């Protein structure tokens, strides 16, 4: 999802209510605007390299399958 409205925190909370085991990665270019997102939600800030994104996704997949 690419969004400014509703806030990322709302989308993440609703997604986890529907599917608690759903891995979530917050991708943002607005790090200063993510204070309402729980600290345990993994995030990656723009700009990032493809390899960084792939590594974060691999980490999430490892968490999801554990």
């Amino acid at each position: 999802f690419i969004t400014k409205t509703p806030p990322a925190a709302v989308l993440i909370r609703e997604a986890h209510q529907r599917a608690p085991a759903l891995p979530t990665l917050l991708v943002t270019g607005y790090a200063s605007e993510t204070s309402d997102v729980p600290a345990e939600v993994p995030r990656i800030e723009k700009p990032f390299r493809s390899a960084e994104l792939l590594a974060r996704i691999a980490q999430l997949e490892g968490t999801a399958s554990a």
Side-chain angles (χ1 to χ4, degrees), residues 19-42:
L22 180 69
T24 306
L25 177 64
L26 176 63
V27 178
T28 183
Y30 301 95
S32 63
E33 296 180 17
T34 63
S35 61
D36 57 341
V37 176
E40 65 271 9
V41 173

